[in-house]
Amino acid sequence: MRLVIARCSVDYDGRLTAHLPSALRLLIVKADGSVLVHSDGGSYKPLNWMSPPCRLTEHPAAGDEPGKWTVTNKAGETLTITITETVSDTSVDLGIDPGLVKDGVEAHLQELLAEQLHLLGDGWRLIRREYPTPIGPVDIMCRDDSGAHVAIEMKRHAGIDAVEQLTRYLELLNRDPLLSPVQGVLAAQTIKLQARTLAEDRGIRCVVLDYDAMRGIVREGTLF
Amino acid sequence: MRLVIARCSVDYDGRLTAHLPSALRLLIVKADGSVLVHSDGGSYKPLNWMSPPCRLTEHPAAGDEPGKWTVTNKAGETLTITITETVSDTSVDLGIDPGLVKDGVEAHLQELLAEQLHLLGDGWRLIRREYPTPIGPVDIMCRDDSGAHVAIEMKRHAGIDAVEQLTRYLELLNRDPLLSPVQGVLAAQTIKLQARTLAEDRGIRCVVLDYDAMRGIVREGTLF
DNA sequence: ACATTTATCTCGCTC
DNA sequence: GAGCGAGGTAAATGT
Protein backbone atom coordinates (compact mmCIF):
# COMPACT_ATOMS: atom_id res chain seq x y z
CA MET A 1 0.00 0.00 0.00
CA ARG A 2 1.23 3.42 -0.98
CA LEU A 3 0.10 6.59 0.76
CA VAL A 4 0.61 9.94 -0.90
CA ILE A 5 -0.34 13.32 0.50
CA ALA A 6 -0.43 15.70 -2.42
CA ARG A 7 -2.03 18.78 -3.90
CA CYS A 8 -3.88 17.45 -6.88
CA SER A 9 -6.81 17.81 -9.21
CA VAL A 10 -8.71 14.74 -10.33
CA ASP A 11 -10.76 13.92 -13.40
CA TYR A 12 -12.86 10.84 -13.89
CA ASP A 13 -14.22 9.92 -17.27
CA GLY A 14 -16.28 6.78 -17.47
CA ARG A 15 -19.86 6.04 -16.61
CA LEU A 16 -20.05 9.76 -15.91
CA THR A 17 -17.58 12.58 -15.98
CA ALA A 18 -16.52 14.25 -12.74
CA HIS A 19 -13.93 16.80 -11.77
CA LEU A 20 -12.17 17.68 -8.54
CA PRO A 21 -10.47 21.08 -8.33
CA SER A 22 -6.95 21.21 -6.97
CA ALA A 23 -6.62 20.67 -3.21
CA LEU A 24 -4.52 18.78 -0.70
CA ARG A 25 -5.70 15.18 -0.53
CA LEU A 26 -4.75 11.66 0.48
CA LEU A 27 -4.08 9.25 -2.37
CA ILE A 28 -4.10 5.54 -1.58
CA VAL A 29 -2.72 3.01 -4.01
CA LYS A 30 -3.55 -0.52 -2.95
CA ALA A 31 -1.66 -3.66 -3.80
CA ASP A 32 -4.24 -4.63 -6.42
CA GLY A 33 -3.64 -1.34 -8.25
CA SER A 34 -6.84 0.34 -7.16
CA VAL A 35 -6.64 4.02 -6.30
CA LEU A 36 -8.62 6.02 -3.74
CA VAL A 37 -8.75 9.79 -3.42
CA HIS A 38 -9.78 10.86 0.08
CA SER A 39 -10.45 14.24 1.59
CA ASP A 40 -10.50 15.01 5.29
CA GLY A 41 -14.22 14.53 5.68
CA GLY A 42 -17.28 13.06 4.11
CA SER A 43 -17.46 9.42 5.01
CA TYR A 44 -15.91 6.14 4.10
CA LYS A 45 -16.53 6.83 0.44
CA PRO A 46 -13.60 8.39 -1.40
CA LEU A 47 -14.12 11.59 -3.36
CA ASN A 48 -13.11 9.61 -6.39
CA TRP A 49 -11.56 6.24 -7.07
CA MET A 50 -10.83 3.44 -9.50
CA SER A 51 -11.80 -0.09 -8.58
CA PRO A 52 -9.68 -3.10 -9.42
CA PRO A 53 -8.80 -4.59 -11.76
CA CYS A 54 -7.11 -1.51 -13.16
CA ARG A 55 -3.68 -0.18 -14.10
CA LEU A 56 -1.85 2.86 -12.80
CA THR A 57 0.62 4.66 -15.05
CA GLU A 58 2.75 7.35 -13.50
CA HIS A 59 4.07 10.30 -15.50
CA PRO A 60 6.63 12.14 -13.36
CA ALA A 61 6.77 15.92 -13.30
CA ALA A 62 9.10 17.32 -15.99
CA GLY A 63 10.04 20.98 -16.06
CA ASP A 64 6.84 22.98 -15.92
CA GLU A 65 4.68 19.90 -16.43
CA PRO A 66 3.09 18.67 -13.22
CA GLY A 67 3.15 14.99 -12.35
CA LYS A 68 0.27 12.97 -13.65
CA TRP A 69 -1.23 9.60 -12.80
CA THR A 70 -3.57 7.86 -15.15
CA VAL A 71 -5.57 4.90 -13.95
CA THR A 72 -7.53 2.87 -16.47
CA ASN A 73 -9.67 -0.22 -16.24
CA LYS A 74 -10.78 -2.72 -18.82
CA ALA A 75 -14.00 -0.84 -19.61
CA GLY A 76 -11.96 2.15 -20.74
CA GLU A 77 -12.85 4.30 -17.77
CA THR A 78 -10.06 6.62 -16.74
CA LEU A 79 -9.06 8.45 -13.61
CA THR A 80 -6.53 11.22 -14.13
CA ILE A 81 -4.73 12.72 -11.16
CA THR A 82 -2.66 15.83 -11.74
CA ILE A 83 -0.18 16.40 -8.93
CA THR A 84 1.30 19.85 -8.40
CA GLU A 85 2.86 19.28 -4.98
CA THR A 86 3.79 16.15 -3.06
CA VAL A 87 3.87 16.48 0.73
CA SER A 88 4.70 12.87 1.45
CA ASP A 89 4.94 9.56 -0.34
CA THR A 90 5.34 6.36 1.66
CA SER A 91 4.81 2.68 1.04
CA VAL A 92 4.18 -0.19 3.42
CA ASP A 93 3.50 -3.87 2.97
CA LEU A 94 0.43 -4.84 4.97
CA GLY A 95 0.22 -8.44 3.83
CA ILE A 96 -3.05 -10.22 3.16
CA ASP A 97 -5.96 -9.43 5.42
CA PRO A 98 -7.79 -12.28 7.16
CA GLY A 99 -11.08 -10.54 6.42
CA LEU A 100 -14.27 -9.60 8.15
CA VAL A 101 -16.55 -11.86 10.17
CA LYS A 102 -20.18 -10.71 10.22
CA ASP A 103 -22.94 -11.83 12.53
CA GLY A 104 -26.64 -11.22 12.72
CA VAL A 105 -28.09 -11.74 9.27
CA GLU A 106 -31.83 -11.47 8.85
CA ALA A 107 -33.70 -14.06 6.83
CA HIS A 108 -34.60 -14.60 10.47
CA LEU A 109 -37.57 -12.25 10.29
CA GLN A 110 -39.67 -14.66 8.24
CA GLU A 111 -38.98 -17.46 10.67
CA LEU A 112 -40.03 -15.27 13.57
CA LEU A 113 -43.29 -14.15 11.96
CA ALA A 114 -44.19 -17.72 11.03
CA GLU A 115 -43.93 -18.54 14.74
CA GLN A 116 -45.89 -15.47 15.76
CA LEU A 117 -48.82 -15.31 13.36
CA HIS A 118 -50.96 -14.13 16.25
CA LEU A 119 -49.36 -10.73 15.66
CA LEU A 120 -51.56 -10.53 12.56
CA GLY A 121 -54.70 -11.87 14.19
CA ASP A 122 -55.98 -14.40 16.71
CA GLY A 123 -56.51 -17.87 15.37
CA TRP A 124 -54.32 -17.49 12.31
CA ARG A 125 -52.64 -20.72 11.25
CA LEU A 126 -49.55 -21.33 9.16
CA ILE A 127 -49.90 -23.37 5.99
CA ARG A 128 -46.26 -23.12 5.00
CA ARG A 129 -43.32 -20.81 4.48
CA GLU A 130 -41.93 -20.36 0.95
CA TYR A 131 -45.23 -21.52 -0.54
CA PRO A 132 -44.36 -22.38 -4.15
CA THR A 133 -46.05 -20.80 -7.16
CA PRO A 134 -45.04 -20.77 -10.85
CA ILE A 135 -43.76 -17.18 -10.50
CA GLY A 136 -41.84 -17.72 -7.28
CA PRO A 137 -42.44 -18.62 -3.65
CA VAL A 138 -44.87 -16.73 -1.43
CA ASP A 139 -43.01 -15.93 1.79
CA ILE A 140 -45.76 -17.15 4.11
CA MET A 141 -49.09 -18.72 3.24
CA CYS A 142 -51.61 -19.01 6.08
CA ARG A 143 -55.30 -18.93 6.98
CA ASP A 144 -57.02 -16.32 9.11
CA ASP A 145 -59.49 -17.12 11.89
CA SER A 146 -62.29 -17.60 9.35
CA GLY A 147 -60.20 -20.09 7.40
CA ALA A 148 -59.65 -17.75 4.44
CA HIS A 149 -56.26 -17.85 2.76
CA VAL A 150 -53.75 -15.05 3.31
CA ALA A 151 -50.50 -14.57 1.38
CA ILE A 152 -47.82 -12.64 3.27
CA GLU A 153 -44.97 -10.86 1.55
CA MET A 154 -42.08 -10.03 3.87
CA LYS A 155 -39.40 -7.40 3.46
CA ARG A 156 -37.10 -5.61 5.81
CA HIS A 157 -37.83 -2.39 3.98
CA ALA A 158 -40.88 -2.49 1.75
CA GLY A 159 -41.06 -0.28 -1.32
CA ILE A 160 -43.29 -0.17 -4.34
CA ASP A 161 -41.61 -3.30 -5.69
CA ALA A 162 -42.85 -5.37 -2.76
CA VAL A 163 -46.44 -4.29 -3.49
CA GLU A 164 -46.05 -5.19 -7.16
CA GLN A 165 -44.60 -8.56 -6.25
CA LEU A 166 -47.41 -9.40 -3.83
CA THR A 167 -49.99 -8.15 -6.34
CA ARG A 168 -48.65 -10.61 -8.91
CA TYR A 169 -48.89 -13.49 -6.42
CA LEU A 170 -52.42 -12.55 -5.41
CA GLU A 171 -53.55 -12.24 -8.99
CA LEU A 172 -52.24 -15.72 -9.70
CA LEU A 173 -53.41 -17.37 -6.47
CA ASN A 174 -56.91 -15.98 -6.85
CA ARG A 175 -57.27 -17.76 -10.17
CA ASP A 176 -57.26 -21.04 -8.23
CA PRO A 177 -60.84 -21.80 -7.07
CA LEU A 178 -59.43 -23.99 -4.29
CA LEU A 179 -57.59 -21.05 -2.76
CA SER A 180 -59.72 -18.04 -3.69
CA PRO A 181 -60.33 -15.65 -2.09
CA VAL A 182 -56.72 -14.94 -1.06
CA GLN A 183 -56.04 -11.78 0.90
CA GLY A 184 -52.66 -10.05 0.92
CA VAL A 185 -50.51 -8.80 3.80
CA LEU A 186 -47.34 -6.77 3.37
CA ALA A 187 -45.17 -7.16 6.48
CA ALA A 188 -41.93 -5.24 6.97
CA GLN A 189 -39.84 -3.37 9.50
CA THR A 190 -40.41 -0.22 7.50
CA ILE A 191 -42.92 0.48 4.76
CA LYS A 192 -42.42 3.43 2.48
CA LEU A 193 -45.37 5.77 2.37
CA GLN A 194 -45.86 5.35 -1.36
CA ALA A 195 -45.80 1.59 -0.99
CA ARG A 196 -48.40 1.84 1.76
CA THR A 197 -50.55 4.10 -0.37
CA LEU A 198 -50.40 1.75 -3.34
CA ALA A 199 -50.96 -1.33 -1.18
CA GLU A 200 -54.02 0.06 0.55
CA ASP A 201 -55.38 1.22 -2.78
CA ARG A 202 -55.21 -2.41 -3.84
CA GLY A 203 -56.75 -3.75 -0.65
CA ILE A 204 -53.48 -5.09 0.72
CA ARG A 205 -53.03 -4.83 4.47
CA CYS A 206 -49.77 -3.33 5.73
CA VAL A 207 -48.13 -4.48 8.95
CA VAL A 208 -45.02 -2.94 10.48
CA LEU A 209 -42.91 -5.45 12.39
CA ASP A 210 -40.86 -4.75 15.49
CA TYR A 211 -37.85 -7.00 15.03
CA ASP A 212 -36.47 -6.51 18.52
CA ALA A 213 -39.82 -7.24 20.14
CA MET A 214 -40.32 -10.34 18.01
CA ARG A 215 -36.84 -11.53 18.86
CA GLY A 216 -37.52 -10.81 22.54
CA ILE A 217 -40.68 -12.91 22.56
CA VAL A 218 -38.75 -15.82 21.14
CA ARG A 219 -36.00 -15.40 23.72
CA GLU A 220 -38.50 -15.56 26.56
CA GLY A 221 -40.17 -18.54 24.94
CA THR A 222 -36.93 -20.48 24.70
CA LEU A 223 -35.71 -19.49 28.12
CA PHE A 224 -38.55 -20.99 30.09
CA MET B 1 -6.24 13.79 9.00
CA ARG B 2 -4.30 11.17 10.93
CA LEU B 3 -2.81 8.10 9.32
CA VAL B 4 -1.78 5.15 11.44
CA ILE B 5 -0.25 1.91 10.23
CA ALA B 6 -0.77 -0.62 12.98
CA ARG B 7 -1.34 -4.24 13.81
CA CYS B 8 -4.83 -4.28 15.22
CA SER B 9 -8.03 -6.21 15.71
CA VAL B 10 -11.35 -4.48 15.25
CA ASP B 11 -14.81 -5.04 16.67
CA TYR B 12 -17.94 -3.29 15.55
CA ASP B 13 -21.13 -3.46 17.54
CA GLY B 14 -24.07 -1.56 16.16
CA ARG B 15 -26.54 -2.28 13.43
CA LEU B 16 -24.70 -5.58 13.21
CA THR B 17 -21.75 -7.07 15.00
CA ALA B 18 -18.53 -7.78 13.15
CA HIS B 19 -15.00 -8.77 14.06
CA LEU B 20 -11.64 -8.39 12.37
CA PRO B 21 -8.79 -10.64 13.53
CA SER B 22 -5.44 -9.00 14.22
CA ALA B 23 -3.50 -7.88 11.15
CA LEU B 24 -1.48 -4.95 9.84
CA ARG B 25 -3.87 -2.27 8.58
CA LEU B 26 -4.22 1.39 7.74
CA LEU B 27 -6.28 3.44 10.16
CA ILE B 28 -7.54 6.82 8.97
CA VAL B 29 -8.92 9.36 11.41
CA LYS B 30 -10.57 12.24 9.61
CA ALA B 31 -11.03 15.76 10.86
CA ASP B 32 -14.69 15.12 11.66
CA GLY B 33 -13.71 12.23 13.95
CA SER B 34 -14.74 9.46 11.60
CA VAL B 35 -12.50 6.41 11.46
CA LEU B 36 -11.72 4.09 8.54
CA VAL B 37 -9.95 0.74 8.71
CA HIS B 38 -8.43 -0.20 5.37
CA SER B 39 -6.63 -3.29 4.20
CA ASP B 40 -4.40 -3.50 1.16
CA GLY B 41 -7.08 -4.66 -1.21
CA GLY B 42 -10.76 -5.21 -1.59
CA SER B 43 -12.19 -1.99 -2.86
CA TYR B 44 -12.86 1.55 -1.89
CA LYS B 45 -14.95 0.36 1.02
CA PRO B 46 -13.07 0.03 4.29
CA LEU B 47 -13.05 -3.27 6.17
CA ASN B 48 -14.75 -1.41 8.95
CA TRP B 49 -15.49 2.19 9.83
CA MET B 50 -17.50 4.62 11.88
CA SER B 51 -19.30 7.44 10.13
CA PRO B 52 -19.51 10.96 11.53
CA PRO B 53 -20.73 12.37 13.75
CA CYS B 54 -18.83 10.26 16.25
CA ARG B 55 -16.23 10.48 18.99
CA LEU B 56 -12.86 8.79 19.25
CA THR B 57 -11.44 8.02 22.69
CA GLU B 58 -7.88 6.77 22.86
CA HIS B 59 -6.66 4.48 25.64
CA PRO B 60 -2.85 4.25 25.43
CA ALA B 61 -1.07 0.97 25.97
CA ALA B 62 -0.16 0.41 29.63
CA GLY B 63 2.08 -2.44 30.71
CA ASP B 64 0.69 -5.61 29.22
CA GLU B 65 -2.50 -3.89 28.09
CA PRO B 66 -2.52 -3.10 24.37
CA GLY B 67 -3.63 0.29 23.16
CA LYS B 68 -7.31 0.65 22.46
CA TRP B 69 -9.45 3.09 20.51
CA THR B 70 -13.15 3.30 21.05
CA VAL B 71 -15.29 5.18 18.59
CA THR B 72 -18.92 5.80 19.44
CA ASN B 73 -21.74 7.63 17.75
CA LYS B 74 -24.98 9.04 19.04
CA ALA B 75 -26.93 5.87 18.27
CA GLY B 76 -24.69 3.93 20.66
CA GLU B 77 -22.84 2.04 17.95
CA THR B 78 -19.25 1.35 18.88
CA LEU B 79 -16.09 0.55 16.99
CA THR B 80 -13.30 -0.87 19.12
CA ILE B 81 -9.78 -1.03 17.74
CA THR B 82 -7.17 -2.93 19.73
CA ILE B 83 -3.64 -1.99 18.72
CA THR B 84 -0.75 -4.28 19.50
CA GLU B 85 1.91 -2.65 17.34
CA THR B 86 2.17 0.79 15.76
CA VAL B 87 4.34 1.03 12.66
CA SER B 88 3.70 4.69 11.95
CA ASP B 89 1.47 7.50 13.13
CA THR B 90 1.37 10.77 11.21
CA SER B 91 -0.99 13.70 10.97
CA VAL B 92 -1.53 16.26 8.24
CA ASP B 93 -3.91 19.17 7.80
CA LEU B 94 -5.60 18.90 4.41
CA GLY B 95 -7.98 21.82 4.81
CA ILE B 96 -11.50 21.83 3.44
CA ASP B 97 -12.09 20.14 0.11
CA PRO B 98 -13.77 22.13 -2.67
CA GLY B 99 -15.80 19.05 -3.53
CA LEU B 100 -16.80 17.06 -6.54
CA VAL B 101 -18.37 18.38 -9.72
CA LYS B 102 -20.50 15.73 -11.39
CA ASP B 103 -21.84 15.69 -14.88
CA GLY B 104 -24.18 13.45 -16.76
CA VAL B 105 -26.52 12.19 -14.06
CA GLU B 106 -30.28 11.95 -14.32
CA ALA B 107 -30.83 15.23 -12.49
CA HIS B 108 -28.79 17.08 -15.08
CA LEU B 109 -30.57 15.36 -17.92
CA GLN B 110 -33.92 16.33 -16.42
CA GLU B 111 -32.81 19.93 -16.10
CA LEU B 112 -31.74 20.00 -19.73
CA LEU B 113 -34.94 18.46 -21.04
CA ALA B 114 -37.08 20.86 -18.99
CA GLU B 115 -35.29 23.69 -20.82
CA GLN B 116 -35.64 22.00 -24.19
CA LEU B 117 -39.20 20.70 -24.26
CA HIS B 118 -39.33 21.67 -27.92
CA LEU B 119 -37.36 18.48 -28.52
CA LEU B 120 -40.64 16.66 -27.79
CA GLY B 121 -42.85 18.98 -29.80
CA ASP B 122 -43.38 22.60 -30.74
CA GLY B 123 -45.35 24.64 -28.29
CA TRP B 124 -44.88 22.31 -25.30
CA ARG B 125 -44.82 24.13 -21.97
CA LEU B 126 -43.35 23.10 -18.62
CA ILE B 127 -45.69 22.87 -15.63
CA ARG B 128 -43.02 21.76 -13.17
CA ARG B 129 -40.21 19.32 -12.54
CA GLU B 130 -40.61 16.76 -9.74
CA TYR B 131 -44.40 17.11 -9.90
CA PRO B 132 -45.61 15.55 -6.64
CA THR B 133 -48.07 12.66 -6.43
CA PRO B 134 -48.96 10.40 -3.49
CA ILE B 135 -46.86 7.61 -4.99
CA GLY B 136 -43.80 9.72 -5.79
CA PRO B 137 -42.79 12.65 -7.95
CA VAL B 138 -43.28 12.73 -11.72
CA ASP B 139 -39.97 13.83 -13.25
CA ILE B 140 -41.47 16.42 -15.57
CA MET B 141 -45.11 17.47 -15.95
CA CYS B 142 -45.96 19.60 -18.97
CA ARG B 143 -48.59 20.40 -21.58
CA ASP B 144 -48.35 19.72 -25.28
CA ASP B 145 -49.27 22.22 -28.00
CA SER B 146 -52.97 21.37 -27.60
CA GLY B 147 -52.80 22.04 -23.87
CA ALA B 148 -53.15 18.35 -22.90
CA HIS B 149 -51.12 17.13 -19.94
CA VAL B 150 -48.03 15.01 -20.48
CA ALA B 151 -46.09 13.17 -17.75
CA ILE B 152 -42.44 12.51 -18.59
CA GLU B 153 -40.37 9.84 -16.89
CA MET B 154 -36.64 10.29 -17.32
CA LYS B 155 -33.89 7.73 -17.02
CA ARG B 156 -30.35 7.47 -18.19
CA HIS B 157 -31.01 3.88 -19.16
CA ALA B 158 -34.67 2.90 -19.27
CA GLY B 159 -35.76 -0.64 -18.55
CA ILE B 160 -39.06 -2.33 -17.82
CA ASP B 161 -39.28 -0.81 -14.37
CA ALA B 162 -39.22 2.70 -15.84
CA VAL B 163 -42.30 1.79 -17.89
CA GLU B 164 -43.99 0.33 -14.83
CA GLN B 165 -43.18 3.43 -12.85
CA LEU B 166 -44.63 5.75 -15.48
CA THR B 167 -47.67 3.51 -15.89
CA ARG B 168 -48.42 3.83 -12.18
CA TYR B 169 -48.21 7.60 -12.39
CA LEU B 170 -50.44 7.75 -15.45
CA GLU B 171 -53.03 5.46 -13.91
CA LEU B 172 -53.18 7.71 -10.85
CA LEU B 173 -53.04 11.04 -12.67
CA ASN B 174 -55.79 10.03 -15.07
CA ARG B 175 -58.16 9.52 -12.16
CA ASP B 176 -58.03 13.29 -11.64
CA PRO B 177 -60.66 14.92 -13.91
CA LEU B 178 -58.72 18.20 -13.77
CA LEU B 179 -55.67 16.55 -15.34
CA SER B 180 -57.11 13.79 -17.49
CA PRO B 181 -56.25 12.87 -20.16
CA VAL B 182 -52.57 12.59 -19.29
CA GLN B 183 -50.23 11.18 -21.91
CA GLY B 184 -46.92 9.51 -21.04
CA VAL B 185 -43.44 10.01 -22.44
CA LEU B 186 -40.44 7.86 -21.55
CA ALA B 187 -37.24 9.82 -22.21
CA ALA B 188 -33.80 8.26 -21.83
CA GLN B 189 -30.33 8.09 -23.34
CA THR B 190 -30.91 4.42 -24.01
CA ILE B 191 -34.14 2.44 -23.94
CA LYS B 192 -34.08 -1.34 -23.73
CA LEU B 193 -36.05 -3.10 -26.43
CA GLN B 194 -38.38 -4.79 -23.96
CA ALA B 195 -39.07 -1.46 -22.32
CA ARG B 196 -39.82 0.15 -25.66
CA THR B 197 -42.12 -2.69 -26.66
CA LEU B 198 -44.04 -2.57 -23.39
CA ALA B 199 -44.23 1.22 -23.45
CA GLU B 200 -45.58 1.40 -26.97
CA ASP B 201 -48.06 -1.36 -26.17
CA ARG B 202 -49.37 0.93 -23.45
CA GLY B 203 -49.48 4.01 -25.63
CA ILE B 204 -46.42 5.55 -24.03
CA ARG B 205 -44.16 7.48 -26.37
CA CYS B 206 -40.44 6.70 -26.23
CA VAL B 207 -37.84 9.36 -26.86
CA VAL B 208 -34.09 8.73 -27.01
CA LEU B 209 -32.10 11.73 -25.81
CA ASP B 210 -28.73 12.84 -27.15
CA TYR B 211 -27.03 14.12 -24.04
CA ASP B 212 -24.09 15.73 -25.78
CA ALA B 213 -26.35 17.51 -28.23
CA MET B 214 -28.61 18.76 -25.45
CA ARG B 215 -25.62 19.99 -23.51
CA GLY B 216 -24.26 21.61 -26.65
CA ILE B 217 -27.48 23.50 -27.31
CA VAL B 218 -27.38 24.94 -23.82
CA ARG B 219 -23.76 26.00 -24.28
CA GLU B 220 -24.59 27.81 -27.49
CA GLY B 221 -27.60 29.40 -25.83
CA THR B 222 -25.53 30.76 -22.99
CA LEU B 223 -22.61 31.80 -25.16
CA PHE B 224 -24.49 34.12 -27.49
C1' DA C 1 -21.10 -16.44 -15.89
C1' DC C 2 -25.19 -13.71 -15.02
C1' DA C 3 -29.37 -11.96 -12.58
C1' DT C 4 -31.29 -10.56 -8.25
C1' DT C 5 -31.18 -8.68 -3.60
C1' DT C 6 -28.98 -6.37 0.08
C1' DA C 7 -26.50 -2.50 2.41
C1' DT C 8 -23.55 -0.36 9.24
C1' DC C 9 -25.32 1.54 2.00
C1' DT C 10 -24.00 7.06 0.90
C1' DC C 11 -25.57 11.24 -1.12
C1' DG C 12 -28.58 14.79 -2.41
C1' DC C 13 -32.91 16.69 -2.53
C1' DT C 14 -37.71 18.02 -1.02
C1' DC C 15 -41.09 18.75 2.31
C1' DG D 1 -35.45 16.09 10.65
C1' DA D 2 -37.87 12.59 7.94
C1' DG D 3 -38.64 10.57 3.59
C1' DC D 4 -37.53 9.29 -0.96
C1' DG D 5 -34.87 8.25 -5.21
C1' DA D 6 -30.31 7.71 -7.52
C1' DG D 7 -25.83 5.72 -7.47
C1' DG D 8 -19.50 5.26 -11.58
C1' DT D 9 -24.00 2.30 -6.48
C1' DA D 10 -20.66 -2.00 -4.46
C1' DA D 11 -21.05 -6.49 -2.59
C1' DA D 12 -23.26 -10.78 -1.66
C1' DT D 13 -26.19 -14.40 -2.93
C1' DG D 14 -28.82 -17.54 -5.91
C1' DT D 15 -29.21 -19.77 -10.56
Side-chain angles (χ1 to χ4, degrees):
Chain A
M1 179 183 281
R2 179 176 172 195
L3 302 174
V4 179
I5 307 283
R7 186 167 304 279
C8 61
S9 62
V10 183
D11 288 278
Y12 166 77
D13 193 1
R15 276 164 283 187
L16 58 70
T17 59
H19 174 71
L20 279 169
S22 183
L24 210 53
R25 303 194 173 92
L26 166 66
L27 309 175
I28 303 176
V29 184
K30 293 196 174 185
D32 53 17
S34 59
V35 178
L36 286 64
V37 182
H38 267 283
S39 67
D40 202 349
S43 66
Y44 73 68
K45 196 176 178 180
L47 289 168
N48 220 323
W49 72 94
M50 184 64 78
S51 303
C54 61
R55 244 165 79 87
L56 165 63
T57 311
E58 204 172 341
H59 311 273
D64 280 355
E65 280 298 299
K68 189 172 282 188
W69 293 5
T70 57
V71 193
T72 56
N73 68 5
K74 206 148 190 173
E77 303 172 350
T78 61
L79 187 71
T80 308
I81 303 176
T82 305
I83 298 176
T84 52
E85 177 197 353
T86 303
V87 175
S88 78
D89 187 340
T90 59
S91 292
V92 61
D93 182 9
L94 297 184
I96 298 194
D97 201 280
L100 188 68
V101 183
K102 274 189 189 180
D103 300 316
V105 191
E106 280 189 30
H108 202 187
L109 204 59
Q110 189 194 109
E111 190 182 320
L112 290 172
L113 185 62
E115 291 167 353
Q116 302 177 39
L117 280 178
H118 59 86
L119 291 174
L120 301 180
D122 286 334
W124 286 40
R125 285 160 300 150
L126 178 68
I127 295 176
R128 71 165 288 183
R129 289 164 50 194
E130 303 290 344
Y131 182 93
T133 82
I135 56 170
V138 175
D139 289 337
I140 294 179
M141 180 66 85
C142 58
R143 288 177 187 270
D144 65 17
D145 56 333
S146 75
H149 287 90
V150 182
I152 305 175
E153 175 63 31
M154 302 212 47
K155 283 275 183 294
R156 292 179 56 188
H157 307 288
I160 291 272
D161 294 352
V163 182
E164 297 287 12
Q165 191 179 347
L166 180 52
T167 301
R168 285 194 298 271
Y169 288 139
L170 290 172
E171 203 268 330
L172 190 92
L173 294 169
N174 273 308
R175 287 188 208 166
D176 185 341
L178 294 177
L179 294 174
S180 181
V182 184
Q183 286 294 309
V185 171
L186 178 63
Q189 285 182 276
T190 63
I191 300 178
K192 286 182 184 166
L193 184 55
Q194 289 128 336
R196 177 182 292 274
T197 304
L198 184 64
E200 287 171 354
D201 186 63
R202 293 181 179 175
I204 292 171
R205 179 176 156 201
C206 293
V207 177
V208 174
L209 303 172
D210 182 335
Y211 178 62
D212 290 331
M214 290 173 71
R215 203 163 40 170
I217 288 166
V218 165
R219 277 214 194 99
E220 288 167 26
T222 53
L223 275 172
F224 302 105
Chain B
M1 179 182 278
R2 179 176 172 196
L3 302 173
V4 178
I5 306 283
R7 184 167 305 279
C8 60
S9 62
V10 182
D11 289 277
Y12 168 77
D13 193 1
R15 277 162 282 187
L16 58 73
T17 59
H19 174 72
L20 281 169
S22 183
L24 209 53
R25 302 194 174 93
L26 166 67
L27 309 175
I28 303 176
V29 184
K30 293 195 174 186
D32 53 17
S34 58
V35 177
L36 286 65
V37 181
H38 267 283
S39 67
D40 202 351
S43 64
Y44 73 67
K45 196 175 178 179
L47 290 168
N48 217 323
W49 72 93
M50 182 66 76
S51 303
C54 61
R55 244 164 78 88
L56 166 62
T57 311
E58 206 172 339
H59 310 273
D64 278 356
E65 280 298 300
K68 189 172 283 191
W69 294 4
T70 57
V71 193
T72 56
N73 69 5
K74 206 146 191 172
E77 300 172 353
T78 61
L79 187 70
T80 307
I81 303 176
T82 305
I83 298 177
T84 52
E85 177 197 353
T86 303
V87 175
S88 78
D89 186 342
T90 59
S91 293
V92 61
D93 183 9
L94 297 184
I96 298 199
D97 201 279
L100 188 67
V101 183
K102 270 190 190 178
D103 212 1
V105 291
E106 184 192 316
H108 193 207
L109 209 57
Q110 188 192 113
E111 194 180 313
L112 289 172
L113 185 61
E115 291 168 351
Q116 302 176 39
L117 280 178
H118 60 85
L119 291 175
L120 301 181
D122 287 333
W124 286 39
R125 285 161 299 151
L126 177 69
I127 295 175
R128 72 165 287 183
R129 290 165 50 195
E130 302 291 342
Y131 182 93
T133 82
I135 56 170
V138 175
D139 289 336
I140 293 179
M141 180 67 85
C142 60
R143 288 176 187 272
D144 66 16
D145 56 332
S146 75
H149 286 91
V150 183
I152 306 176
E153 175 62 33
M154 303 214 45
K155 283 278 182 289
R156 281 199 298 150
H157 306 289
I160 291 274
D161 50 354
V163 182
E164 297 288 10
Q165 191 179 349
L166 180 52
T167 302
R168 283 196 300 271
Y169 290 141
L170 291 171
E171 201 270 330
L172 191 98
L173 294 168
N174 273 309
R175 288 188 205 170
D176 185 342
L178 294 177
L179 294 174
S180 181
V182 184
Q183 285 295 308
V185 171
L186 177 62
Q189 286 182 275
T190 63
I191 300 178
K192 285 184 186 164
L193 183 55
Q194 296 138 339
R196 176 181 291 275
T197 304
L198 182 63
E200 287 171 353
D201 186 62
R202 294 182 179 174
I204 292 170
R205 181 177 154 199
C206 293
V207 177
V208 174
L209 302 172
D210 183 336
Y211 177 64
D212 289 331
M214 291 172 70
R215 201 163 43 169
I217 287 166
V218 165
R219 279 217 193 94
E220 289 166 24
T222 54
L223 275 173
F224 302 104

